[in-house]
Amino acid sequence: MRVTQPPESLSLGLLTGLRPLPADHVEFVHGSQLRAADRMLGFYSTLVTISVLLVGFRFFAHVPIWMLAMWALGMVAAHVPLLRMRRMNVAADYVTAARGTMLWHGALSSLQGAVWVSAMLLFTHDARPEEVVTLWTIACCLMASVAISFQSTPLSASGFILSVGGGAIWMMLRHADPLLAGVVATYAVLALGTSLWQAHLFGVQLTTSQMLAEKREVVSLLLREHGNEAADVLWQTDAARRLTGVSPLFARMLGKRVEDVEGQSILQMLAGSAWTDGNFDPALHLLAEKFKERAGFSDVCLSVEVDGARRWWSLSASPRLDEKGNFLGFRGVGSDVTVQKESSERIAQLARFDTLTNLPNRLHLGEELALAVEAMKTWKTRCAFLMIDLDRFKSVNDTLGHHVGDQLLAQVADRLRRVCSLNEVCGRLGGDEFAVVVREVSDPIYVDRLASAIIDAVSKPYQVDNQTLFIGASIGSAMAPQDGDDVDALMRSADLAMYRAKEAGRGKHLRFALSMHADAEERRTLELALRSALEKDQFHLVYQPIVNARSRAVTGFEALCRWTHPQLGPIPPSRFIPIAEDTRLISKLGHWVLETACQAACHWPEDVSISVNISAEQLNDPDIIELIAGALSRSGLPANRLELEVTESVFMREGTGAAQALEQLTRRGIRLSLDDFGTGYSSLGYLSRTRFNTIKVDRSFVTGAARGQRESLAIVNAVVAMATSLGLDTTAEGVETETEYEIIRALGCSKIQGYYFGRPMSLDDTAALFGQTDTRVA
């Protein structure tokens, strides 16, 4: 049986029939309404008959008999169609109920109300008070009875109550007084409101009861389905392994009729078409052995062919013995576990393969490498592992979004598949890192050629969303047994070689060398030492002068961080700054540099500023504004004497908030300098979005201009011209000779920094430039 659920909300507009119901709800809703109204029609008809007789008795002496007769006939004519409608509905079991039926029911009820109103108009012309009271009482009773009888059909109830109530109010205004008319009006409104509220409750009850019926039907269907198609089915065989007492469900699971299965070999039924070609499922061999040994078995999972499709069954059985211990066959249970089997296979697929590229993931690659290493040890051969890192992928991902980046990775995976042969397994380790396991290496040149082919394939242009993209690949390789004889050692060695390839200029392949381990160990040692260097007061600042290009007067200093380790000695910034950035220690170190530099600058004349380098990670710190403001406040240094130097890299990632942080700093009066301009993307957008005060010209252009290189001269000229037009200062870095100074001054740079005017010096030495002696930092 199909159960139709009514709409979630049955409004009065739907219950009255003034608004159409959805086609599949009409029969149920309107049929239920008419069924409920018809159950009360007998009571209502009886009350109407009594009321008509009372009117005839009361007005017989004052109203002409023909008028009473005509009125009574009108009442009968208005009431009989309701009785006929009820008979038709019962005969059709209310399946013909429709919106038109509801409207016709309401019209008939309104017609009856009109007939009663006609009695008030015709019979009360010269009526006495008791006659008026009689009609009033009858009207009140009828309105109450309609509100009860037709509560499921609000259009019928509303039409009758409004017409009869309106007539009663008119009658009381004409023959009584406004007070009684108000009482009648109040009664009619209450009756109408009660009727509509009852109609609303009827709709709620109808919806609720039908929802319960729907749930009962669902439960019933599930119970019937469990009874007819239970997950586990019984089966049994005789001593010759022939199926006996086959149930309809077991035959249906095989896609056959009971008579086609009864008496057949269970092994033949389970083998299907493989019975003739001998290509059996291995589990079927196990099952045959169990049958032969007459041994019980449990949860044997095997593939079964059903109507040409592969299904998975789980079978369990025990041997049947008679009272004398004679073997009678097997009795067991079977279940179709295809869904579970496919789900487990899918889970295994997800656990061992990358969902984006469908390549083996890190776990799977580790297993393949372990097998290759094991074969290498067994057969005394060689295997290799290649670690691949995509060059420039991060900038594509950050600029164009992850959607484009994912498509690009999928295309890279396709190219790797085409390059690799059956001797290789390529996979994705995660992010933009891929790897290749080479099962057998006949010659080291083989690995070089494979790596070269991968770099060439990956470096070709890509088309993604109508955009042409270019990336590259850096590869590090390790070979067993010389570079490691286990999975972890090979992966670690290949990883070290890959990072060295990236440092060597990218787009390269490097084999692992023992020196790489030494470099990695040195880096690890520096990282451990760096984590405690700040607490142990191993850092100090030196200051390099910045002078006016014309007057040669000192206008400021750049604060430079130095690290002296008690055992390792002086460690240059080029070695510890990248480690600090990688280990997320740069923010803590940068904060210390800022605090120390601001306190030092307070010892210089008021027209001398301090320049401090600030990293992208520091600018992304949500507390950076407060940290800088706190450093200025604690030192007492005016904001306009602090200049923060940033590189173009802080703008490379969208959404980091670096530009907003710089804007807030400039509003506080802090000066900004764009460092190394011309060596990166040199986008004018940075200068337009952020209010810089100084552009620093990189040393490479300074030395190039001094040697007369046209490109360097053109770049310096262009930078100076642009800065002048924007009202910015220009600082030339790395000026070390008189010739360089003269060239740069002639080109128009406003400030000079370099060994020619002073090497980085201690705070005491800076004070000596201004004739000061007290340089203690509070």
Side-chain angles (χ1 to χ4, degrees):
M1 183 183 81
R2 184 175 70 89
V3 179
T4 301
Q5 185 174 336
E8 293 184 4
S9 177
L10 288 173
S11 65
L12 290 176
L14 296 174
L15 292 173
T16 58
L18 297 177
R19 287 177 52 204
L21 280 164
D24 55 341
H25 298 139
V26 171
E27 176 187 334
F28 170 74
V29 175
H30 291 329
S32 299
Q33 290 180 266
L34 292 174
R35 194 188 303 271
D38 287 347
R39 282 198 294 265
M40 299 296 295
L41 188 58
F43 163 74
Y44 173 66
S45 299
T46 301
L47 184 60
V48 169
T49 302
I50 294 173
S51 299
V52 170
L53 292 175
L54 285 174
V55 169
F57 176 78
R58 171 61 70 184
F59 290 93
F60 180 76
H62 301 89
V63 177
I65 189 64
W66 64 269
M67 185 178 293
L68 285 173
M70 291 296 293
W71 177 78
L73 288 175
M75 183 61 69
V76 172
H79 196 74
V80 167
L82 279 177
L83 298 175
R84 292 180 60 190
M85 181 184 293
R86 175 190 179 186
R87 186 179 65 184
M88 294 173 60
N89 287 335
V90 171
D93 197 22
Y94 293 90
V95 297
T96 58
R99 182 187 177 200
T101 311
M102 296 299 301
L103 297 176
W104 178 238
H105 194 279
L108 291 176
S109 180
S110 299
L111 180 60
Q112 290 186 41
V115 173
W116 282 106
V117 171
S118 67
M120 299 176 192
L121 296 174
L122 298 174
F123 300 164
T124 60
H125 184 67
D126 295 319
R128 292 171 296 178
E130 59 270 24
E131 294 171 342
V132 173
V133 171
T134 299
L135 279 179
W136 176 25
T137 304
I138 291 173
C140 290
C141 291
L142 288 173
M143 285 190 289
S145 67
V146 166
I148 296 172
S149 302
F150 293 162
Q151 60 179 293
S152 62
T153 54
L155 182 63
S156 303
S158 300
F160 185 91
I161 293 173
L162 288 174
S163 56
V164 173
I169 293 171
W170 174 86
M171 182 177 66
M172 299 308 293
L173 285 173
R174 180 174 180 182
H175 298 286
D177 56 45
L179 179 61
L180 289 178
V183 172
V184 173
T186 302
Y187 183 85
V189 170
L190 290 174
L192 179 61
T194 302
S195 173
L196 295 178
W197 177 249
Q198 290 299 320
H200 166 72
L201 295 179
F202 177 83
V204 172
Q205 181 185 8
L206 189 64
T207 303
T208 304
S209 63
Q210 193 60 17
M211 290 174 65
L212 292 175
E214 175 80 5
K215 293 179 179 179
R216 284 195 297 270
E217 181 68 13
V218 171
V219 171
S220 176
L221 290 173
L222 291 175
L223 290 174
R224 288 201 298 272
E225 180 182 354
H226 185 270
N228 296 331
E229 301 181 13
D232 295 330
V233 296
L234 297 175
W235 59 272
Q236 67 178 16
T237 68
D238 58 16
R241 307 174 192 171
R242 295 187 297 258
L243 288 163
T244 62
V246 176
S247 68
L249 181 54
F250 185 79
R252 195 181 314 135
M253 284 178 63
L254 283 168
K256 300 180 183 298
R257 297 178 301 175
V258 173
E259 54 268 27
D260 295 333
V261 179
E262 184 74 27
Q264 298 295 320
S265 166
I266 185 173
L267 292 176
Q268 183 177 352
M269 290 292 99
L270 295 176
S273 61
W275 185 256
T276 56
D277 58 30
N279 186 22
F280 301 133
D281 187 308
L284 196 63
H285 289 289
L286 173 62
L287 206 60
E289 288 295 322
K290 295 294 183 182
F291 284 145
K292 183 179 179 180
E293 297 169 1
R294 298 179 178 180
F297 54 89
S298 177
D299 296 327
V300 174
C301 188
L302 75 160
S303 175
V304 181
E305 183 181 334
V306 179
D307 294 333
R310 188 182 76 160
R311 307 290 297 179
W312 288 95
W313 285 18
S314 177
L315 297 177
S316 302
S318 299
R320 292 190 298 132
L321 305 174
D322 63 11
E323 63 275 5
K324 297 181 180 180
N326 297 320
F327 176 70
L328 299 177
F330 278 87
R331 177 180 289 122
V333 295
S335 58
D336 189 323
V337 294
T338 305
V339 174
Q340 297 93 314
K341 181 70 173 179
E342 291 176 348
S343 297
S344 63
E345 289 178 350
R346 178 59 178 161
I347 292 172
Q349 170 81 6
L350 293 174
R352 302 177 71 246
F353 286 85
D354 177 59
T355 55
L356 175 63
T357 62
N358 206 31
L359 290 178
N361 60 12
R362 181 182 289 273
L363 172 64
H364 193 173
L365 282 171
E367 294 172 351
E368 291 290 342
L369 184 56
L371 292 174
V373 170
E374 187 65 28
M376 177 268 299
K377 294 178 180 178
T378 302
W379 303 106
K380 306 302 180 183
T381 58
R382 289 177 292 192
C383 64
F385 185 73
L386 280 68
M387 188 86 76
I388 306 166
D389 188 86
L390 301 183
D391 301 331
R392 299 183 299 278
F393 173 79
K394 186 175 182 296
S395 63
V396 172
N397 211 35
D398 291 342
T399 305
L400 302 179
H402 293 289
H403 173 68
V404 173
D406 288 348
Q407 294 184 66
L408 183 57
L409 289 175
Q411 292 191 30
V412 170
D414 290 337
R415 296 187 184 186
L416 288 177
R417 287 191 191 95
R418 290 195 292 268
V419 171
C420 293
S421 66
L422 295 178
N423 187 41
E424 294 92 42
V425 179
C426 62
R428 182 185 177 207
L429 298 176
D432 61 349
E433 288 189 349
F434 293 81
V436 176
V437 175
V438 185
R439 295 189 175 102
E440 184 176 350
V441 178
S442 57
D443 190 304
I445 301 299
Y446 180 87
V447 176
D448 295 337
R449 290 173 179 170
L450 176 61
S452 178
I454 292 174
I455 293 173
D456 290 342
V458 172
S459 300
K460 292 178 180 178
Y462 298 81
Q463 291 295 325
V464 180
D465 286 351
N466 298 320
Q467 298 185 79
T468 302
L469 304 177
F470 294 89
I471 59 173
S474 298
I475 302 178
S477 64
M479 193 178 307
Q482 61 264 37
D483 298 333
D485 58 359
D486 59 56
V487 172
D488 291 338
L490 283 174
M491 284 189 167
R492 186 167 57 252
S493 298
D495 191 46
L496 290 172
M498 183 266 291
Y499 276 107
R500 181 59 63 88
K502 293 184 76 71
E503 293 174 356
R506 309 193 177 207
K508 298 180 182 299
H509 163 237
L510 289 182
R511 298 180 191 175
F512 171 76
L514 288 176
S515 60
M516 296 179 183
H517 265 312
D519 294 341
E521 185 61 29
E522 180 186 6
R523 178 184 174 89
R524 192 182 70 85
T525 301
L526 286 178
E527 180 181 333
L528 293 174
L530 184 62
R531 292 185 180 277
S532 59
L534 201 58
E535 287 76 11
K536 294 180 179 179
D537 198 25
Q538 294 174 1
F539 290 106
H540 67 279
L541 295 185
V542 292
Y543 306 89
Q544 185 170 28
I546 301 173
V547 302
N548 184 285
R550 299 298 176 187
S551 65
R552 299 194 178 198
V554 176
T555 61
F557 292 90
E558 180 178 0
L560 302 173
C561 187
R562 296 292 184 263
W563 180 19
T564 303
H565 191 272
Q567 284 80 40
L568 302 176
I571 301 169
S574 59
R575 290 176 62 190
F576 73 78
I577 292 297
I579 298 176
E581 291 176 342
D582 291 343
T583 56
R584 312 297 293 270
L585 295 173
I586 193 67
S587 291
K588 186 176 181 180
L589 178 60
H591 186 207
W592 175 84
V593 170
L594 186 67
E595 289 274 358
T596 306
C598 288
Q599 293 175 6
C602 291
H603 298 277
W604 303 329
E606 295 182 355
D607 59 346
V608 177
S609 62
I610 181 68
S611 296
V612 179
N613 290 280
I614 188 166
S615 67
E617 184 176 336
Q618 286 178 271
L619 287 174
N620 293 330
D621 185 343
D623 298 325
I624 184 62
I625 306 300
E626 288 71 19
L627 290 174
I628 295 176
L632 291 173
S633 175
R634 285 184 288 274
S635 64
L637 185 72
N640 62 353
R641 291 183 60 192
L642 173 63
E643 184 167 88
L644 300 178
E645 294 190 11
V646 299
T647 61
E648 297 177 39
S649 62
V650 302
F651 301 101
M652 292 305 297
R653 294 183 60 185
E654 296 293 333
T656 58
Q660 292 83 347
L662 291 175
E663 181 65 25
Q664 293 185 51
L665 291 172
T666 57
R667 285 201 296 266
R668 292 173 177 260
I670 297 170
R671 298 170 58 84
L672 297 181
S673 174
L674 184 58
D675 199 7
D676 297 336
F677 187 78
T679 61
Y681 289 90
S682 302
S683 172
L684 297 180
Y686 308 143
L687 298 177
S688 62
R689 291 197 303 266
T690 306
R691 293 178 293 176
F692 286 97
N693 303 96
T694 304
I695 299 177
K696 301 193 78 171
V697 180
D698 189 70
R699 166 169 168 72
S700 61
F701 301 121
V702 173
T703 57
R707 291 196 300 266
Q709 293 180 353
R710 294 176 57 187
E711 294 83 359
S712 297
L713 288 168
I715 290 174
V716 176
N717 263 321
V719 171
V720 170
M722 178 184 62
T724 302
S725 64
L726 295 175
L728 309 180
D729 291 331
T730 51
T731 300
E733 297 182 292
V735 176
E736 298 183 355
T737 66
E738 178 72 23
T739 301
E740 290 176 350
Y741 166 66
E742 294 296 340
I743 291 291
I744 291 303
R745 188 180 65 169
L747 289 174
C749 284
S750 53
K751 297 179 182 179
I752 303 292
Q753 180 181 351
Y755 287 178
Y756 180 67
F757 286 100
R759 292 176 176 271
M761 59 188 69
S762 66
L763 181 59
D764 289 339
D765 291 338
T766 63
L769 295 178
F770 309 111
Q772 299 175 348
T773 57
D774 186 6
T775 59
R776 289 173 298 172
V777 177

